[in-house]
Amino acid sequence: MRNETKLHLYYSPFTKGVRGILYLLFAVLLFTISGCKVYSFTGASLPADVKTVTVEQLRNSASNAPALLNQTITDALKNKLITEASLRQVTYDGDLVFKGAITGYSFSAQAPTAQVQSGVNRLTITVQVSYESKKYPKDSWKQPETFSRYADASGNANLSDVQDALITDIVKQLMDDIFNKAFVKW
């Protein structure tokens, strides 16, 4: 004769109740997620039917800005919108449209020292950006918004030596500001 072990699962009324609560929680979670907006870990909320974005090349209106700064900022904005808002970039007629210009680029001394030179030099970049939501016009900005950020370097540093690192830092801050103004709304 063979020894057979049978597994008997015991379901008590308590087990059935817990399972029912889990099903209810799952249903509530699905209902919440399937709302009319898409939420991301960045805090951004976009309507579910907004899928595309057009980012027009920013104009360089600052006379002393590096020639490729407008391309750098435009590419950074496209990348931010594609990666953090899960939007698809289109050349024209996107659900959302960003356009603007670099309006300021200045390198100035900030902290005087006893010597002739400054203790700290500051690079400041200012951009003016407009935002249009074609599907939800009330979300569009009434006027173009101005965003300005800066980064500091040692007073004895030459601008040409530190410019690329400062620009990278400033552009990241500007992208966060533009993104938050457009989508996080805080």
Side-chain angles (χ1 to χ4, degrees):
M1 181 164 255
R2 219 163 102 195
N3 244 348
E4 290 186 24
T5 306
K6 291 186 179 179
L7 180 62
H8 292 281
L9 295 176
Y10 175 72
Y11 290 106
S12 70
F14 175 75
T15 306
K16 289 179 182 177
V18 169
R19 192 170 13 155
I21 289 172
L22 289 175
Y23 285 136
L24 180 63
L25 287 174
F26 183 71
V28 168
L29 179 65
L30 282 177
F31 178 74
T32 304
I33 291 174
S34 67
C36 60
K37 292 198 180 224
V38 176
Y39 296 92
S40 73
F41 291 112
T42 62
S45 64
L46 291 169
D49 60 340
V50 173
K51 305 277 187 212
T52 60
V53 64
T54 299
V55 179
E56 295 182 10
Q57 181 76 29
L58 269 69
R59 295 180 321 281
N60 191 351
S61 300
S63 60
N64 56 343
L68 295 177
L69 184 60
N70 61 332
Q71 184 65 48
T72 300
I73 294 175
T74 301
D75 290 346
L77 183 57
K78 287 177 182 179
N79 187 48
K80 180 90 170 173
L81 297 171
I82 290 168
T83 58
E84 293 190 27
S86 300
L87 295 169
R88 187 172 44 88
Q89 169 67 33
V90 294
T91 308
Y92 62 92
D93 202 30
D95 298 330
L96 307 176
V97 178
F98 288 86
K99 54 187 168 184
I102 300 167
T103 57
Y105 183 91
S106 64
F107 194 68
S108 59
Q110 293 299 308
T113 64
Q115 291 78 21
V116 177
Q117 68 183 11
S118 171
V120 175
N121 288 321
R122 176 171 290 170
L123 176 62
T124 304
I125 300 175
T126 305
V127 295
Q128 190 174 57
V129 177
S130 64
Y131 164 69
E132 177 187 3
S133 175
K134 293 187 177 183
K135 292 187 176 187
Y136 300 92
K138 66 175 178 46
D139 291 342
S140 300
W141 299 338
K142 306 277 188 254
Q143 302 281 336
E145 293 285 334
T146 300
F147 301 91
S148 186
R149 285 297 189 145
Y150 64 87
D152 293 333
S154 169
N156 52 359
N158 186 356
L159 175 60
S160 61
D161 295 337
V162 296
Q163 178 174 276
D164 290 343
L166 295 175
I167 287 173
T168 299
D169 184 36
I170 294 168
V171 168
K172 181 184 177 320
Q173 294 175 55
L174 288 170
M175 294 310 103
D176 289 343
D177 290 347
I178 294 166
F179 187 88
N180 288 339
K181 174 72 177 168
F183 303 124
V184 181
K185 298 173 175 73
W186 32 324

XYZ file of all heavy atoms in Angstrom, residues 74-122:
368
model
N 17.307 73.622 -26.442
C 16.198 72.977 -27.155
C 16.273 71.458 -27.003
O 15.270 70.802 -26.690
C 16.210 73.360 -28.648
O 16.111 74.781 -28.768
C 15.063 72.704 -29.393
N 17.449 70.894 -27.210
C 17.620 69.437 -27.076
C 17.356 68.966 -25.647
O 16.760 67.915 -25.437
C 19.023 69.017 -27.510
C 19.234 69.147 -29.018
O 18.242 69.301 -29.757
O 20.410 69.109 -29.443
N 17.788 69.753 -24.669
C 17.555 69.388 -23.266
C 16.063 69.387 -22.946
O 15.579 68.507 -22.231
C 18.298 70.352 -22.339
N 15.326 70.362 -23.478
C 13.880 70.413 -23.237
C 13.181 69.231 -23.906
O 12.325 68.579 -23.294
C 13.292 71.739 -23.729
C 11.805 71.951 -23.481
C 11.461 71.824 -21.998
C 11.373 73.324 -24.003
N 13.552 68.915 -25.127
C 12.979 67.744 -25.805
C 13.225 66.476 -24.995
O 12.319 65.674 -24.775
C 13.588 67.578 -27.204
C 13.125 68.589 -28.216
C 13.842 68.366 -29.541
C 13.439 69.388 -30.566
N 14.145 69.192 -31.854
N 14.466 66.295 -24.572
C 14.830 65.100 -23.804
C 14.043 65.010 -22.501
O 13.553 63.947 -22.124
C 16.335 65.096 -23.531
C 16.786 63.808 -22.896
O 16.437 62.730 -23.347
N 17.549 63.927 -21.832
N 13.894 66.117 -21.806
C 13.151 66.139 -20.536
C 11.693 65.721 -20.763
O 11.132 64.933 -20.002
C 13.214 67.548 -19.935
C 12.503 67.718 -18.623
C 13.416 67.432 -17.494
C 12.806 67.828 -16.178
N 13.612 67.399 -15.058
N 11.077 66.249 -21.804
C 9.666 65.956 -22.081
C 9.456 64.519 -22.540
O 8.443 63.897 -22.207
C 9.120 66.941 -23.108
C 9.116 68.402 -22.655
C 8.769 69.323 -23.813
C 8.166 68.609 -21.491
N 10.407 63.997 -23.290
C 10.289 62.618 -23.777
C 10.504 61.624 -22.640
O 9.754 60.662 -22.490
C 11.287 62.363 -24.923
C 10.862 63.143 -26.173
C 11.411 60.882 -25.238
C 11.927 63.198 -27.254
N 11.522 61.865 -21.807
C 11.858 60.888 -20.773
C 10.988 60.999 -19.527
O 10.627 59.989 -18.943
C 13.343 60.993 -20.367
O 13.602 62.324 -19.902
C 14.251 60.659 -21.523
N 10.625 62.210 -19.125
C 9.910 62.355 -17.860
C 8.406 62.545 -18.010
O 7.674 62.350 -17.047
C 10.521 63.497 -17.041
C 11.933 63.161 -16.595
C 12.484 64.134 -15.591
O 11.710 64.767 -14.851
O 13.720 64.261 -15.547
N 7.949 62.937 -19.176
C 6.506 63.069 -19.380
C 5.984 62.018 -20.350
O 4.799 61.991 -20.652
C 6.162 64.469 -19.894
N 6.870 61.169 -20.846
C 6.512 60.098 -21.785
C 5.750 60.619 -22.999
O 4.776 60.010 -23.441
C 5.701 59.018 -21.073
O 6.450 58.466 -20.030
N 6.190 61.752 -23.508
C 5.576 62.319 -24.700
C 6.408 61.944 -25.921
O 7.610 61.737 -25.827
C 5.481 63.842 -24.580
C 4.560 64.354 -23.478
C 4.750 65.851 -23.265
C 3.110 64.038 -23.812
N 5.747 61.886 -27.069
C 6.436 61.598 -28.332
C 6.697 62.924 -29.035
O 5.792 63.745 -29.198
C 5.578 60.677 -29.196
C 6.264 60.184 -30.454
C 5.447 59.122 -31.184
N 4.036 59.428 -31.284
C 3.478 60.142 -32.274
N 4.217 60.648 -33.222
N 2.174 60.351 -32.284
N 7.934 63.143 -29.460
C 8.321 64.372 -30.147
C 7.838 64.319 -31.592
O 8.062 63.343 -32.289
C 9.848 64.521 -30.105
C 10.419 65.607 -30.981
C 10.043 66.999 -30.524
O 9.900 67.269 -29.362
N 9.853 67.883 -31.474
N 7.144 65.382 -32.019
C 6.748 65.532 -33.414
C 7.237 66.888 -33.906
O 7.380 67.834 -33.122
C 5.221 65.394 -33.613
C 4.765 63.979 -33.299
C 4.441 66.390 -32.782
N 7.494 66.994 -35.195
C 8.071 68.213 -35.761
C 7.115 69.396 -35.703
O 7.536 70.523 -35.447
C 8.498 67.960 -37.220
O 9.332 66.801 -37.250
C 9.258 69.138 -37.775
N 5.846 69.143 -35.930
C 4.858 70.221 -35.885
C 3.504 69.671 -35.453
O 3.256 68.477 -35.519
C 4.748 70.945 -37.232
C 4.296 70.053 -38.369
C 2.950 69.924 -38.694
C 5.220 69.323 -39.102
C 2.547 69.087 -39.715
C 4.816 68.485 -40.127
C 3.477 68.386 -40.427
O 3.072 67.544 -41.432
N 2.668 70.566 -34.973
C 1.287 70.253 -34.607
C 1.173 69.204 -33.485
O 0.316 68.329 -33.539
C 0.500 69.817 -35.845
C -1.001 70.009 -35.651
O -1.379 70.926 -34.902
O -1.785 69.237 -36.233
N 2.023 69.314 -32.462
C 1.917 68.420 -31.317
C 0.748 68.835 -30.429
O 0.223 69.947 -30.537
N 0.342 67.942 -29.541
C -0.711 68.274 -28.572
C -0.253 69.420 -27.677
O -1.062 70.242 -27.239
C -1.042 67.058 -27.703
C -1.574 65.883 -28.517
O -2.204 66.113 -29.569
O -1.364 64.734 -28.087
N 1.044 69.464 -27.393
C 1.656 70.533 -26.609
C 2.733 71.186 -27.472
O 3.413 70.505 -28.235
C 2.301 69.976 -25.339
C 1.423 69.101 -24.447
C 2.251 68.547 -23.294
C 0.238 69.893 -23.925
N 2.887 72.515 -27.321
C 3.896 73.233 -28.097
C 4.689 74.148 -27.167
O 4.103 74.928 -26.408
C 3.245 74.082 -29.223
C 4.309 74.859 -29.984
C 2.435 73.207 -30.166
N 6.009 74.008 -27.228
C 6.916 74.889 -26.492
C 7.736 75.669 -27.507
O 8.229 75.099 -28.480
C 7.875 74.076 -25.608
C 7.238 73.460 -24.410
C 6.608 72.228 -24.491
C 7.258 74.111 -23.187
C 6.023 71.651 -23.378
C 6.675 73.543 -22.068
C 6.049 72.320 -22.163
N 7.899 76.969 -27.269
C 8.777 77.783 -28.099
C 9.289 78.939 -27.271
O 8.726 79.250 -26.206
C 8.076 78.277 -29.360
C 6.789 79.017 -29.146
C 6.109 79.308 -30.474
C 4.698 79.793 -30.254
N 4.003 79.987 -31.515
N 10.356 79.567 -27.733
C 10.892 80.665 -26.950
C 12.225 81.159 -27.443
O 12.617 80.911 -28.586
N 12.935 81.837 -26.538
C 14.211 82.445 -26.889
C 15.109 82.550 -25.666
O 14.625 82.640 -24.534
C 13.977 83.833 -27.471
N 16.407 82.557 -25.930
C 17.392 82.870 -24.898
C 17.481 84.391 -24.881
O 17.804 85.012 -25.896
C 18.755 82.253 -25.223
C 18.628 80.738 -25.331
C 19.794 82.655 -24.180
C 19.828 80.063 -25.952
N 17.137 84.985 -23.763
C 17.092 86.447 -23.697
C 18.239 87.049 -22.897
O 18.459 88.262 -22.956
C 15.764 86.926 -23.087
O 15.609 86.339 -21.786
C 14.585 86.531 -23.975
N 18.973 86.228 -22.171
C 20.080 86.759 -21.400
C 21.181 85.749 -21.179
O 20.925 84.564 -20.984
N 22.415 86.225 -21.235
C 23.598 85.408 -20.985
C 24.659 86.357 -20.450
O 25.150 87.223 -21.170
C 24.075 84.743 -22.279
C 25.253 83.818 -22.089
C 25.045 82.478 -21.825
C 26.556 84.282 -22.188
C 26.116 81.611 -21.646
C 27.634 83.430 -22.012
C 27.407 82.094 -21.745
O 28.468 81.248 -21.570
N 24.973 86.224 -19.157
C 25.955 87.159 -18.592
C 26.897 86.448 -17.632
O 26.512 85.531 -16.914
C 25.249 88.298 -17.869
O 24.528 87.810 -16.759
N 28.129 86.891 -17.633
C 29.173 86.391 -16.741
C 29.632 87.591 -15.937
O 30.134 88.565 -16.500
C 30.314 85.783 -17.565
C 31.278 84.956 -16.771
C 30.885 83.752 -16.221
C 32.580 85.380 -16.580
C 31.774 82.969 -15.492
C 33.480 84.607 -15.860
C 33.073 83.401 -15.316
N 29.431 87.547 -14.615
C 29.735 88.730 -13.801
C 30.434 88.353 -12.499
O 30.293 87.242 -12.000
C 28.440 89.475 -13.488
O 27.544 88.628 -12.796
N 31.172 89.335 -11.960
C 31.848 89.161 -10.674
C 30.828 89.340 -9.557
O 30.006 90.242 -9.589
C 32.966 90.189 -10.550
N 30.884 88.468 -8.539
C 29.900 88.501 -7.460
C 30.469 88.794 -6.088
O 29.807 89.389 -5.263
C 29.148 87.161 -7.388
C 28.284 86.886 -8.576
C 27.201 87.930 -8.741
O 26.464 88.228 -7.814
N 27.120 88.509 -9.920
N 31.682 88.364 -5.815
C 32.240 88.510 -4.472
C 33.595 89.202 -4.556
O 34.600 88.577 -4.869
C 32.375 87.148 -3.803
N 33.621 90.490 -4.277
C 34.899 91.202 -4.359
C 35.869 90.718 -3.277
O 35.458 90.302 -2.200
C 34.513 92.659 -4.130
C 33.148 92.635 -3.549
C 32.524 91.326 -3.884
N 37.155 90.755 -3.610
C 38.197 90.385 -2.654
C 39.147 91.562 -2.498
O 39.024 92.581 -3.182
C 38.989 89.160 -3.147
O 39.669 89.521 -4.361
C 38.096 87.961 -3.384
N 40.111 91.427 -1.621
C 41.097 92.487 -1.415
C 41.987 92.640 -2.649
O 42.529 93.706 -2.894
C 41.944 92.175 -0.192
N 42.095 91.569 -3.437
C 42.880 91.649 -4.664
C 42.030 92.318 -5.753
O 40.873 92.650 -5.553
C 43.309 90.251 -5.134
C 44.331 89.576 -4.257
C 43.732 88.982 -2.995
O 42.531 88.731 -2.944
N 44.550 88.789 -1.984
N 42.591 92.455 -6.914
C 41.921 93.100 -8.032
C 40.794 92.230 -8.585
O 39.781 92.729 -9.047
C 42.942 93.428 -9.155
C 42.263 94.028 -10.360
C 44.025 94.344 -8.624
N 40.939 90.928 -8.498
C 39.937 90.036 -9.084
C 38.824 89.691 -8.092
O 38.947 89.892 -6.894
C 40.589 88.768 -9.599
C 41.145 87.874 -8.516
C 41.843 86.667 -9.102
O 42.075 86.611 -10.289
N 42.175 85.714 -8.266
N 37.769 89.127 -8.615
C 36.616 88.723 -7.810
C 36.861 87.353 -7.192
O 37.585 86.533 -7.747
C 35.382 88.665 -8.712
O 34.311 88.080 -8.032
N 36.214 87.094 -6.060
C 36.302 85.790 -5.419
C 35.395 84.765 -6.073
O 35.680 83.577 -6.082
N 34.284 85.220 -6.643
C 33.314 84.337 -7.293
C 32.797 85.012 -8.563
O 32.436 86.189 -8.552
C 32.113 84.030 -6.358
C 31.058 83.215 -7.082
C 32.563 83.319 -5.107
N 32.748 84.245 -9.643
C 32.147 84.723 -10.887
C 30.870 83.938 -11.134
O 30.791 82.753 -10.823
C 33.111 84.555 -12.065
C 34.254 85.539 -11.991
O 34.075 86.695 -11.627
N 35.443 85.074 -12.326
N 29.881 84.601 -11.673
C 28.570 83.985 -11.863
C 28.159 84.049 -13.336
O 28.188 85.109 -13.951
C 27.537 84.713 -11.013
C 26.111 84.205 -11.220
C 25.182 84.804 -10.219
N 25.509 84.213 -8.924
C 25.019 84.635 -7.765
N 24.198 85.663 -7.727
N 25.342 84.039 -6.639
